[in-house]
Amino acid sequence: MPHDAQVPTPGRRQRGVSRIERPGVAVDVAVLTAKGGTLRALLVTRTTKPYKGQLALAGGLIRLDESLDAAALRVLSTKAGLQHVYLEQLYTFGRPGRDPRMRVIAVAYVALVHSGLAEACRAAGACWLRVRVPWQGEVGGPVDILDDDGRKVQLAFDHADVLGMAVKRIRGKLNYTPIGFQLLAEQFTLRELQDVHETILGVDVNKDSFRRRMLTSGDLEATGERENDVDHRPAELYRFTRRSAI
Amino acid sequence: MPHDAQVPTPGRRQRGVSRIERPGVAVDVAVLTAKGGTLRALLVTRTTKPYKGQLALAGGLIRLDESLDAAALRVLSTKAGLQHVYLEQLYTFGRPGRDPRMRVIAVAYVALVHSGLAEACRAAGACWLRVRVPWQGEVGGPVDILDDDGRKVQLAFDHADVLGMAVKRIRGKLNYTPIGFQLLAEQFTLRELQDVHETILGVDVNKDSFRRRMLTSGDLEATGERENDVDHRPAELYRFTRRSAI
DNA sequence: GAAATAGTGTCTTTAAGACAGTATGTG
DNA sequence: CACATACTGTCTTAAAGACACTATTTC
């Protein structure tokens, strides 16, 4: 139940510090994946007020003894059943009124997961909806979320803005870091990697240049194996040489 | 008094929500300027515990009715006498224990100011100390702060990490946005702009390529005027065509 | 005129884009 | 065989780096 108040705790008084009216602090995680040429975000249906019944990012109030990163990892694990995925702090949203019931500061994170892990999330009650980015490049702004019939869906809170910021960040990062690997299985072909880049960037990239850039970057190594079960010449499989995970 | 608890307020009870133990939320602003080839940060001496007497970034607890950006602007104005400067949210620091007295989540901002405004800050009780960046490129990590005698100074809280993140962010941003203008007066020469870039990046840049890149970017316009009071051929003065300020 | 920095023109180098052509799988 | 996609080689183009040279100020 993200953004919800919890029942009052006994309230261990902090030494020398009186308790005053303070905002709640939450983490919200924008989990993205790329499947079939479309960008998808992980969303959960809210079961409590406010925005009860609407879709929202996975989120929750932080605990007093856990770090922000730990809170984001906990939310990922408990709300989406996800572990060992790429995770990075994104931006902090704090507009008064973004939560209609109380002041909540939301530290947003972005996570990237391989589309093969999507089923595990469905089991946890989450769904993956299509993200349509109504701006080009790194302009920024909220995104549109579409259901399976292509209709626009209204998200809770300012979560469409959070997802917009997430796409903007990932697009920017793609230019100078090998972040696209995070959306693929351990072994992948150059074509799959290019598809991921094009899905995130929202534009086609030059194939020749892309291949050259990837192969000379030093971030890839050939596995010697080839894909199979394709009805054309199979491509070489590569692996990321510095696979990092939190 | 950043990070300090305030006296208890009557505690207007929020509708339907019980007050629980919550972290404090503060903003800390890393104000940077470039002068004489060195990067400098604005620091204030703490007058209250914790870290009483040590140097820290300008900061303060947010108010329940103000946005994060507004809190950062208020801190800039009240602690440093600065207005109308470039300001951007940086990162949120929330490690438990970063404030020894209570849990505080600090939303860090980075601000860039023209070195000509530095005197106004001194009047407000702040000082500008040299920032030495012990890493190259966008590796990241804490920076060293040096006093006027070149000795390392210990900052309060995790503020050396915040400044490190600020330098990393600005270095990255310099590659694709004309952010260097924010550190100069309204009119400036190409040499001054190049000095600013080199100071931020920590490396020399190619003069010819830099001039070409700036002149073809469309971000600059010649004023028709030239610098004076220099003992060599005076350079043309330029102005930023899209000067933006918050 | 000497010294210093501003500014210009051009050659080289490097990376991206374009494209023709070959290679290797399936049906 | 046709066909689809993988991969290679080379030409063109655009930007960065290098460098020689000219211009304009103060002393």
Side-chain angles (χ1 to χ4, degrees):
Chain A
M1 50 175 94
H3 300 295
D4 286 352
Q6 299 172 351
V7 285
T9 53
R12 173 178 48 83
R13 192 178 160 90
Q14 295 170 315
R15 56 186 159 92
V17 178
S18 305
R19 285 197 291 126
I20 58 159
E21 206 80 44
R22 292 176 185 163
V25 179
V27 292
D28 287 322
V29 188
V31 190
L32 296 174
T33 195
K35 188 161 197 175
T38 62
L39 202 58
R40 288 177 182 269
L42 183 134
L43 298 165
V44 296
T45 303
R46 287 183 58 78
T47 56
T48 54
K49 292 201 290 184
Y51 297 104
K52 184 171 179 176
Q54 275 186 249
L55 287 169
L57 298 176
L61 290 172
I62 69 162
R63 295 178 182 160
L64 266 188
D65 57 351
E66 73 184 348
S67 70
L68 298 172
D69 287 0
L73 288 170
R74 173 173 58 78
V75 163
L76 267 178
S77 177
T78 59
K79 308 253 171 164
L82 286 170
Q83 265 138 7
H84 309 299
V85 301
Y86 177 85
L87 182 70
E88 143 182 344
Q89 193 189 299
L90 178 63
Y91 195 80
T92 298
F93 294 79
R95 179 176 57 79
R98 59 177 293 282
D99 185 318
R101 302 211 304 175
M102 57 188 258
R103 182 80 194 272
V104 175
I105 310 294
V107 183
Y109 278 76
V110 58
L112 300 180
V113 307
H114 161 221
S115 62
L117 276 65
E119 290 313 310
C121 303
R122 253 185 241 288
C127 62
W128 292 93
L129 292 199
R130 184 176 164 202
V131 178
R132 183 172 62 191
V133 184
W135 36 267
Q136 302 205 325
E138 292 172 52
V139 173
V143 296
D144 298 330
I145 302 299
L146 308 178
D147 65 18
D148 294 341
D149 301 323
R151 281 187 294 258
K152 273 183 65 171
V153 174
Q154 188 88 11
L155 294 193
F157 305 107
D158 49 7
H159 288 182
D161 294 299
V162 177
L163 279 167
M165 188 77 86
V167 172
K168 181 181 171 185
R169 169 74 64 91
I170 297 303
R171 280 190 180 179
K173 207 136 182 169
L174 211 52
N175 291 324
Y176 58 96
T177 49
I179 206 172
F181 306 99
Q182 305 291 350
L183 293 167
L184 293 168
E186 209 229 324
Q187 297 197 359
F188 50 86
T189 67
L190 288 177
R191 177 70 218 178
E192 289 171 331
L193 186 58
Q194 183 178 346
D195 284 342
V196 162
H197 276 240
E198 290 178 341
T199 300
I200 294 173
L201 294 174
V203 293
D204 290 352
V205 305
N206 182 281
K207 179 184 168 184
D208 304 302
S209 171
F210 181 79
R211 290 178 64 88
R212 246 186 322 225
R213 202 150 41 87
M214 289 301 131
L215 291 174
T216 58
S217 70
D219 294 326
L220 295 186
E221 65 183 12
T223 62
E225 296 177 59
R226 304 185 148 223
E227 64 181 343
N228 45 25
D229 300 329
V230 289
D231 61 350
H232 53 77
R233 172 178 172 180
E236 174 101 38
L237 287 169
Y238 291 83
R239 135 177 355 110
F240 181 34
T241 52
R242 299 177 297 181
R243 185 161 285 273
S244 69
I246 290 184
Chain B
M1 50 173 96
H3 300 296
D4 285 352
Q6 298 173 352
V7 286
T9 54
R12 172 178 49 82
R13 193 178 159 91
Q14 293 168 315
R15 57 186 158 94
V17 178
S18 304
R19 285 196 290 123
I20 58 158
E21 205 80 44
R22 292 177 185 162
V25 180
V27 292
D28 288 322
V29 188
V31 190
L32 295 174
T33 195
K35 189 160 196 175
T38 63
L39 201 59
R40 288 177 182 268
L42 183 133
L43 298 165
V44 295
T45 304
R46 287 184 58 77
T47 56
T48 53
K49 293 202 289 183
Y51 297 105
K52 184 171 178 176
Q54 275 186 250
L55 287 169
L57 298 176
L61 290 172
I62 69 162
R63 294 177 182 162
L64 266 189
D65 58 349
E66 74 184 345
S67 69
L68 298 171
D69 287 359
L73 288 170
R74 173 173 57 79
V75 162
L76 267 178
S77 175
T78 59
K79 307 252 171 165
L82 286 170
Q83 264 138 9
H84 308 300
V85 300
Y86 177 85
L87 182 69
E88 145 182 343
Q89 193 191 298
L90 178 63
Y91 195 81
T92 298
F93 295 81
R95 179 176 58 78
R98 60 177 292 283
D99 185 317
R101 299 211 306 175
M102 56 188 262
R103 182 78 194 274
V104 176
I105 309 293
V107 182
Y109 279 75
V110 58
L112 301 180
V113 307
H114 161 220
S115 61
L117 274 67
E119 289 313 311
C121 303
R122 254 186 241 285
C127 62
W128 292 93
L129 294 199
R130 184 176 165 204
V131 178
R132 182 172 63 191
V133 184
W135 35 267
Q136 301 206 325
E138 293 170 53
V139 173
V143 296
D144 298 329
I145 302 298
L146 308 179
D147 65 17
D148 295 341
D149 301 323
R151 281 187 295 257
K152 273 183 66 170
V153 173
Q154 189 88 11
L155 294 193
F157 305 107
D158 49 8
H159 288 183
D161 294 299
V162 177
L163 280 168
M165 188 77 85
V167 172
K168 181 182 173 185
R169 169 76 63 92
I170 297 303
R171 281 189 180 179
K173 206 137 184 171
L174 210 53
N175 292 324
Y176 59 97
T177 49
I179 207 173
F181 305 99
Q182 305 291 349
L183 293 166
L184 292 168
E186 209 228 325
Q187 298 196 358
F188 50 86
T189 66
L190 287 178
R191 177 69 217 175
E192 288 171 331
L193 186 58
Q194 183 178 346
D195 284 342
V196 162
H197 277 240
E198 291 178 341
T199 301
I200 294 174
L201 295 175
V203 292
D204 290 352
V205 304
N206 182 281
K207 177 186 166 182
D208 304 298
S209 171
F210 181 80
R211 290 177 64 89
R212 246 188 322 226
R213 200 150 43 87
M214 290 299 132
L215 292 174
T216 60
S217 70
D219 295 326
L220 294 187
E221 65 184 11
T223 62
E225 297 177 59
R226 305 184 149 224
E227 63 181 344
N228 46 23
D229 300 331
V230 288
D231 60 351
H232 53 77
R233 172 178 172 180
E236 173 101 37
L237 286 169
Y238 291 84
R239 136 181 352 110
F240 182 35
T241 52
R242 299 177 297 183
R243 185 161 286 271
S244 68
I246 289 183

